[in-house]
Amino acid sequence: MSLTEIARLAGYAGPSGLQRYFRDDYDPDVLDYRLALRLSEVMKGSGEPGIEPYELMSLTDQGAMLAQQGAIAVQPKYEIRGFVSVYMAEPVRWQLANGGDTMALKSVEIYFSDSVSAFVVPAWLERRDVYAFYQAGDSMSPKFEDGDIIFTEGKRRASRGDCALIIVEDRADGDTVVGIVGEIVKLTEETVVISQLAGDTIHLPTSRVSAIRRVMRPEDLLDANPS
């Protein structure tokens, strides 16, 4: 493939945006994860033998970490395309104004700029818009304990009875969100009702909700029907 072709398929205006990455003297410790993901999609199968996506993804910081742990294994039947990142989260109190009263709700603040771990994933799982974070606080104890890894997906609509991450605030920097983890009791056009196992039942107006993402344990997510 020519550099012009790679740039075009990767969504760049021209080859100049990619030139430095293909120079002989370009030798960083790790490759940017988002760049590697873009290039792995475009360059998959090119060359002889054909490039495999995991080969590019293993050059990222997440890939380097997994390689050190011996976690990168070639499993062609899974069509490995990338990683699910695991982000740090901290317990926070999110303030909800309710008439003349203000409620301080148990919430988590998730930092997307701080990827601390990763999982190799099959292609069908990556398409579900999945990431993970460390549960912060005891709002869902004993189902999710403080420090547990929780997977969250955005493709399937959450419904009554599902555990979910209700995102109530997107920070201006784009790298941080505040969300409430709980079980959905009721979901209407006007209201989202959430139950926290170690907290209260919360009534949120949908106008205060920016996204609802299903959450589950790793084994539940991997056992889900990929169709």
Side-chain angles (χ1 to χ4, degrees), residues 85-130:
S85 293
V86 183
Y87 299 103
M88 283 302 297
E90 294 289 342
V92 295
R93 290 281 183 172
W94 186 72
Q95 304 295 322
L96 172 65
N98 185 14
D101 300 325
T102 300
M103 297 175 60
L105 306 178
K106 290 184 176 182
S107 310
V108 293
E109 191 167 358
I110 303 171
Y111 309 106
F112 295 121
S113 59
D114 191 8
S115 174
V116 293
S117 185
F119 289 88
V120 179
V121 297
W124 64 265
L125 187 57
E126 187 186 47
R127 290 194 294 269
R128 289 193 175 182
D129 177 22
V130 177

Side-chain angles (χ1 to χ4, degrees), residues 28-44:
D29 291 333
V30 293
L31 192 63
D32 178 76
Y33 174 82
R34 287 165 293 187
L35 172 66
L37 189 59
R38 269 172 123 176
L39 293 179
S40 69
E41 291 287 335
V42 169
M43 301 175 70
K44 178 181 178 180

Side-chain angles (χ1 to χ4, degrees), residues 19-65:
Q19 277 179 338
R20 71 188 184 99
Y21 301 115
F22 288 82
R23 289 168 51 117
D24 290 340
D25 59 354
Y26 181 71
D27 188 25
D29 291 333
V30 293
L31 192 63
D32 178 76
Y33 174 82
R34 287 165 293 187
L35 172 66
L37 189 59
R38 269 172 123 176
L39 293 179
S40 69
E41 291 287 335
V42 169
M43 301 175 70
K44 178 181 178 180
S46 65
E48 184 61 43
I51 292 173
E52 293 288 348
Y54 79 89
E55 294 178 289
L56 281 166
M57 299 309 299
S58 66
L59 301 176
T60 66
D61 53 353
Q62 294 97 329
M65 176 180 62

